[in-house]
Amino acid sequence: MFNQKIVASLAKSSMIRAMFEAGAKLKAQYGEENVFDFSLGNPEIEPPVPVQESLKKYVNSATPGLHYYMSNAGFEDVREKVAAHLQKKSGAPLTKDHILMVCGAAAGMNIALKALLNAGEEVIVLAPFFVEYLSYIENADGKPVIVNTEKGTFHIDVEAVKRSITPKTKAIILNSPNNPTGVVYSRESLENLRTALEEKEKEFGTSIFVLSDEPYVSIVYDGVEVPNMMSVFKNCVIIYSFSKSHALPGERIGYVAASSRIDDVGTLMGAMITLNRTLGFVNAPALFQKVVAENLDVAVDTAFYQENRDILYNHITSVGFECVKPSGAFYLWMKSPIEDDVAFCQTAQKYNLLIVPGSGFGCPGYARIAYCYGTEMIKRSLKAFTNLAKEYGLI
Amino acid sequence: MFNQKIVASLAKSSMIRAMFEAGAKLKAQYGEENVFDFSLGNPEIEPPVPVQESLKKYVNSATPGLHYYMSNAGFEDVREKVAAHLQKKSGAPLTKDHILMVCGAAAGMNIALKALLNAGEEVIVLAPFFVEYLSYIENADGKPVIVNTEKGTFHIDVEAVKRSITPKTKAIILNSPNNPTGVVYSRESLENLRTALEEKEKEFGTSIFVLSDEPYVSIVYDGVEVPNMMSVFKNCVIIYSFSKSHALPGERIGYVAASSRIDDVGTLMGAMITLNRTLGFVNAPALFQKVVAENLDVAVDTAFYQENRDILYNHITSVGFECVKPSGAFYLWMKSPIEDDVAFCQTAQKYNLLIVPGSGFGCPGYARIAYCYGTEMIKRSLKAFTNLAKEYGLI
């Protein structure tokens, strides 16, 4: 009776969300404090103080017109501030006409993909990946082409990317710092990727767009550099979300920025602004546009995440699990001690540990641990990881 | 290089928005106060005081977790309140499991259509109509079937609807009070429509869903009844927006409510919740979910709109224009004195009057006047309407 494709997909719905439900049950049974829920990337921290102050200022002043419609592109003054901020970071000339305010990165990805893709065109996705990318590409009638990253390091396998490019390749999605691996791509590897893309663009007479999904760009550790994607790639579209950097995931606020070096960038922006309306987003929430515009240089305290990372990474590797040390974001990407990562994560539930199978990210044999939760919970969970390691004879 | 369909549509983009741009130019030339801009349904009023008080309360209390992700369906307590509110209005049993909080009605329409339609299925749209419906149906791979309303009255032509139903008809969109005509459908005409739908469902062995787009349901005049759609139709999905009733259009907040009488309504809700995520909306903005839930019985002062309606309706009919007297919403639907409504609206611009051609609503020969603006502006505009009437020899 309903959309058959959607109904069929309900059964095998997002594993991350399935964990969320399982977690709720365990919590009801054992009590909130005895369940160690690492399943969702839902930061348990409040927005930075300057963000909260801006929010109060706008709401208490009851600025007339604050909640009206504005241009589908967003408030002009907000877009000007975002453009100036990005220009400072990228060194590339940008104006408000390169900026579209959107309802979060998921909205931005859908808009950018729909604006770029003709039916059947291909989008390269690097595995492991945020699984919703596949839905977004499908929404735009595109075809995902999955390319594995380098085994063990999860850095870009430039040669593999190059081999996967066809005349139908329209875009590649990059996500650095990466969800789920925590890897940050180096400038060198991005420059190698650029060379590969340029060669193929020349060979096929096409343009290949880099869609850079950057919600974690301000969450990095140990002084690692996150190269600005616009400074590397000509055909670059940045999709930014304030969910993580400003701890505002429930408010759905972000932006899309198109490089001024893109040929006919005005048409691309026009298409995206129209799609913001016709896909049903209409505009980014008004109040939070104003709030984030005043806080573009603000970000949550990375020390909090770094402490979590260190405690958890040191412990799980000390009890015998293999794990990439994350340079950014707030995820640990751990090798499953058995091939069947789904079975492994089910076993973890015996110890009230909720972690997500790598299969949910197009990469079986691994599991993702989101460590954006209170440090006390993380400390209390360590014993459960020890017991899980014992179960698999790692110690 | 980009999506060819979107790029082609950019040229013939929304006439409403084109007026918006033309208006900006006239305002720059003649000064804001000398241009009478009736083009957009962007209410120039602030949210009701209780809404502003709730907003302040939440923001100033800095409620922990207020800006976190919640279930894609929305906060549980918010959905419970919406269900109780609607149950009271419709008399139909409803729980939180029938409610999905969404980023405004445009989001809700996209989600509902995508959940219902298989590729190529048909959706009946009554002309004149809000033009974006066609995009929403296309986004869901559906086929719009346009059926005219009754000539002159713009009420539902039930026989015409009945004739247009095929085995592929999956839904009909209703919008009462109507944009652009201001017409409110009577209980009798809705019951006649129900009978017609039921006959055809029986004949074809299908289910036809009523998608009731209701942003204007609380803006009615002269004590007119707006029948609750769930009390009339079994397969009813209500799409509600707080943009107009709570004067929050920039904040993108609304809900979808599915009737508990729909067969397998749980699957429909599951599909819509998943689509809220995969289409890129993720969830309705957190803060405003909480704010509207405390103000479900609140609405803007209709007296303001009624005064505007009366002043404008009385004047334009007194100078010889033909116009349906609106029973709800905040639009006047005026007959163009010449066949070419686009030329008529261009002529109106000579008098600094910005009104939108009926062609933009699938109904040439008419024009829409949005009267959600300050009463002073409306009073100042009357002379321009007189001059426009003179130009066409009406007086």
Side-chain angles (χ1 to χ4, degrees):
Chain A
M1 188 157 75
F2 311 126
N3 180 330
Q4 286 313 306
K5 241 159 103 178
I6 309 289
V7 171
S9 77
L10 281 184
K12 41 176 186 160
S13 179
S14 165
M15 284 194 212
I16 302 182
R17 288 280 159 179
M19 281 287 157
F20 188 68
E21 310 296 335
K25 271 184 205 154
L26 284 176
K27 284 169 193 167
Q29 194 177 348
Y30 296 103
E32 188 94 23
E33 70 288 0
N34 298 313
V35 178
F36 313 115
D37 186 350
F38 297 99
S39 58
L40 277 182
N42 188 4
E44 270 190 356
I45 54 173
E46 298 305 317
V49 170
V51 174
Q52 298 195 38
E53 291 307 316
S54 290
L55 183 56
K56 282 179 195 164
K57 186 189 73 177
Y58 276 109
V59 166
N60 292 325
S61 72
T63 314
L66 182 59
H67 309 292
Y68 293 3
Y69 285 121
M70 80 298 305
S71 157
N72 297 132
F75 287 115
E76 281 208 6
D77 61 325
V78 170
R79 290 156 57 215
E80 273 163 10
K81 283 178 190 159
V82 170
H85 171 79
L86 274 182
Q87 175 164 324
K88 205 169 62 189
K89 279 176 68 181
S90 67
L94 282 172
T95 73
K96 68 172 172 49
D97 296 329
H98 303 106
I99 308 296
L100 168 67
M101 298 305 296
V102 292
C103 305
M109 288 295 291
N110 273 282
I111 291 165
L113 284 163
K114 185 91 173 182
L116 288 172
L117 296 184
N118 292 288
E121 287 182 337
E122 294 166 1
V123 180
I124 295 171
V125 178
L126 304 180
F129 50 80
F130 177 55
V131 70
E132 313 266 310
Y133 290 157
L134 305 188
S135 300
Y136 305 162
I137 294 167
E138 195 183 325
N139 292 340
D141 299 319
K143 194 185 143 198
V145 173
I146 295 167
V147 176
N148 286 325
T149 48
E150 281 178 359
K151 219 176 160 175
T153 72
F154 303 101
H155 278 276
I156 305 173
D157 183 341
V158 173
E159 282 309 309
V161 170
K162 205 170 165 184
R163 281 193 304 272
S164 73
I165 295 173
T166 77
K168 292 199 140 191
T169 304
K170 183 49 89 51
I172 176 169
I173 297 175
L174 297 184
N175 173 225
S176 170
N178 187 264
N179 172 12
T181 65
V183 166
V184 174
Y185 302 143
S186 69
R187 183 172 292 277
E188 190 191 350
S189 80
L190 293 171
E191 286 173 350
N192 290 340
L193 176 64
R194 176 184 62 199
T195 305
L197 295 178
E198 284 174 353
E199 274 181 46
K200 286 293 180 178
E201 287 179 318
K202 216 167 169 185
E203 179 182 341
F204 295 132
T206 55
S207 295
I208 303 173
F209 291 81
V210 171
L211 298 183
S212 179
D213 179 25
E214 327 198 321
Y216 303 104
V217 80
S218 58
I219 302 175
V220 287
Y221 314 119
D222 314 321
V224 166
E225 183 210 3
V226 184
N228 183 281
M229 295 292 185
M230 278 198 190
S231 71
V232 180
F233 300 100
K234 172 177 174 279
N235 292 322
C236 179
V237 179
I238 287 177
I239 292 102
Y240 188 79
S241 161
F242 294 92
S243 292
K244 275 54 183 203
S245 58
H246 291 60
L248 292 169
E251 304 299 353
R252 314 315 304 145
I253 181 78
Y255 61 76
V256 176
S259 167
S260 55
R261 293 194 288 155
I262 295 171
D263 296 333
D264 200 9
V265 67
T267 299
L268 176 61
M269 288 303 303
M272 293 201 292
I273 293 166
T274 295
L275 285 165
N276 201 21
R277 192 173 78 238
T278 57
L279 292 181
F281 303 106
V282 184
N283 57 251
L287 172 60
F288 280 96
Q289 284 192 46
K290 293 287 188 183
V291 169
V292 297
E294 286 190 338
N295 292 283
L296 295 169
D297 287 315
V298 170
V300 295
D301 182 9
T302 311
F304 164 73
Y305 292 126
Q306 176 139 8
E307 186 183 3
N308 286 353
R309 180 200 69 161
D310 291 342
I311 293 170
L312 208 48
Y313 175 80
N314 291 340
H315 182 76
I316 66 175
T317 52
S318 79
V319 298
F321 289 108
E322 273 181 58
C323 184
V324 183
K325 187 166 191 178
S327 302
F330 41 56
Y331 305 103
L332 279 171
W333 186 241
M334 171 201 221
K335 200 167 185 324
S336 167
I338 54 170
E339 209 181 308
D340 184 346
D341 53 309
V342 177
F344 170 61
C345 292
Q346 275 160 354
T347 302
Q349 285 188 30
K350 280 192 355 198
Y351 302 98
N352 288 354
L353 279 175
L354 301 174
I355 58 179
V356 185
S359 303
F361 303 90
C363 189
Y366 285 82
R368 189 191 78 170
I369 306 173
Y371 56 82
C372 49
Y373 301 103
T375 309
E376 288 315 305
M377 186 276 267
I378 285 171
K379 286 181 181 162
R380 278 186 282 113
S381 77
L382 299 181
K383 207 172 159 200
F385 280 105
T386 307
N387 290 333
L388 185 63
K390 279 184 187 153
E391 166 127 11
Y392 288 100
L394 303 181
I395 47 169
Chain B
M1 187 158 73
F2 312 125
N3 180 332
Q4 285 313 305
K5 243 160 100 177
I6 311 288
V7 170
S9 77
L10 280 185
K12 42 174 186 163
S13 180
S14 167
M15 283 194 213
I16 303 183
R17 288 281 158 178
M19 281 287 158
F20 189 67
E21 311 295 335
K25 270 184 207 153
L26 283 177
K27 284 169 191 166
Q29 195 176 345
Y30 296 102
E32 187 95 22
E33 68 287 2
N34 298 312
V35 177
F36 314 115
D37 185 350
F38 297 100
S39 60
L40 277 182
N42 188 4
E44 271 191 354
I45 54 174
E46 297 306 316
V49 171
V51 173
Q52 298 195 37
E53 291 307 316
S54 290
L55 183 56
K56 282 180 195 164
K57 186 188 74 179
Y58 277 109
V59 166
N60 290 326
S61 72
T63 314
L66 182 59
H67 309 292
Y68 293 3
Y69 285 123
M70 77 300 305
S71 156
N72 297 132
F75 287 116
E76 281 208 6
D77 61 326
V78 170
R79 288 156 59 215
E80 273 163 10
K81 282 178 191 160
V82 170
H85 172 78
L86 274 182
Q87 177 164 323
K88 205 169 64 189
K89 279 176 68 180
S90 67
L94 283 171
T95 72
K96 69 172 171 51
D97 296 329
H98 303 106
I99 309 297
L100 168 67
M101 299 305 296
V102 293
C103 304
M109 288 294 293
N110 273 282
I111 290 165
L113 285 163
K114 186 90 172 183
L116 288 171
L117 297 184
N118 291 288
E121 288 182 336
E122 295 166 0
V123 180
I124 295 171
V125 178
L126 304 180
F129 51 79
F130 178 56
V131 70
E132 312 267 311
Y133 290 157
L134 305 188
S135 299
Y136 305 163
I137 295 167
E138 194 183 326
N139 292 340
D141 299 319
K143 194 186 143 200
V145 173
I146 294 167
V147 176
N148 286 325
T149 49
E150 281 178 358
K151 218 175 161 179
T153 72
F154 304 101
H155 278 277
I156 305 174
D157 183 341
V158 173
E159 282 309 307
V161 170
K162 204 169 163 184
R163 281 193 303 273
S164 75
I165 296 173
T166 77
K168 292 198 140 191
T169 305
K170 182 49 86 55
I172 176 169
I173 298 175
L174 297 183
N175 173 224
S176 170
N178 186 263
N179 172 12
T181 65
V183 165
V184 175
Y185 301 144
S186 69
R187 183 172 290 277
E188 191 191 348
S189 81
L190 294 170
E191 286 174 350
N192 290 340
L193 177 63
R194 176 184 62 200
T195 305
L197 295 179
E198 284 174 354
E199 275 181 45
K200 286 292 179 179
E201 286 179 318
K202 215 166 169 185
E203 180 183 340
F204 295 132
T206 54
S207 295
I208 303 173
F209 290 81
V210 170
L211 298 184
S212 180
D213 179 25
E214 327 199 323
Y216 302 104
V217 82
S218 58
I219 301 175
V220 287
Y221 314 118
D222 314 322
V224 166
E225 183 210 2
V226 184
N228 183 283
M229 295 293 185
M230 278 198 189
S231 71
V232 179
F233 299 101
K234 172 177 175 279
N235 292 322
C236 179
V237 179
I238 286 175
I239 292 102
Y240 189 79
S241 160
F242 294 92
S243 292
K244 272 58 181 201
S245 59
H246 292 60
L248 292 168
E251 303 300 353
R252 314 313 305 145
I253 181 76
Y255 60 78
V256 176
S259 168
S260 55
R261 293 195 286 155
I262 295 171
D263 296 334
D264 200 10
V265 66
T267 300
L268 176 61
M269 287 303 303
M272 292 200 293
I273 293 166
T274 296
L275 285 165
N276 201 21
R277 192 174 77 237
T278 57
L279 292 181
F281 303 105
V282 184
N283 58 251
L287 172 59
F288 279 97
Q289 283 191 46
K290 294 286 189 185
V291 169
V292 296
E294 287 189 339
N295 292 283
L296 294 170
D297 287 314
V298 171
V300 295
D301 183 8
T302 310
F304 164 73
Y305 292 126
Q306 177 140 4
E307 186 184 2
N308 286 354
R309 179 200 69 161
D310 290 342
I311 294 170
L312 207 48
Y313 175 79
N314 291 340
H315 182 77
I316 66 175
T317 53
S318 78
V319 297
F321 289 109
E322 273 181 59
C323 184
V324 184
K325 187 166 190 177
S327 302
F330 41 57
Y331 305 104
L332 279 171
W333 187 240
M334 171 201 219
K335 198 165 187 325
S336 167
I338 54 169
E339 210 181 306
D340 185 345
D341 54 308
V342 177
F344 171 61
C345 293
Q346 276 162 353
T347 302
Q349 285 189 29
K350 280 193 354 199
Y351 303 98
N352 288 353
L353 279 175
L354 301 173
I355 59 179
V356 185
S359 304
F361 303 91
C363 189
Y366 286 82
R368 190 190 79 170
I369 306 172
Y371 56 82
C372 50
Y373 300 103
T375 309
E376 287 315 305
M377 186 276 267
I378 286 172
K379 285 180 182 162
R380 278 186 282 113
S381 76
L382 299 181
K383 207 175 157 197
F385 280 105
T386 307
N387 290 333
L388 186 62
K390 279 185 187 154
E391 165 128 10
Y392 288 101
L394 302 180
I395 45 170

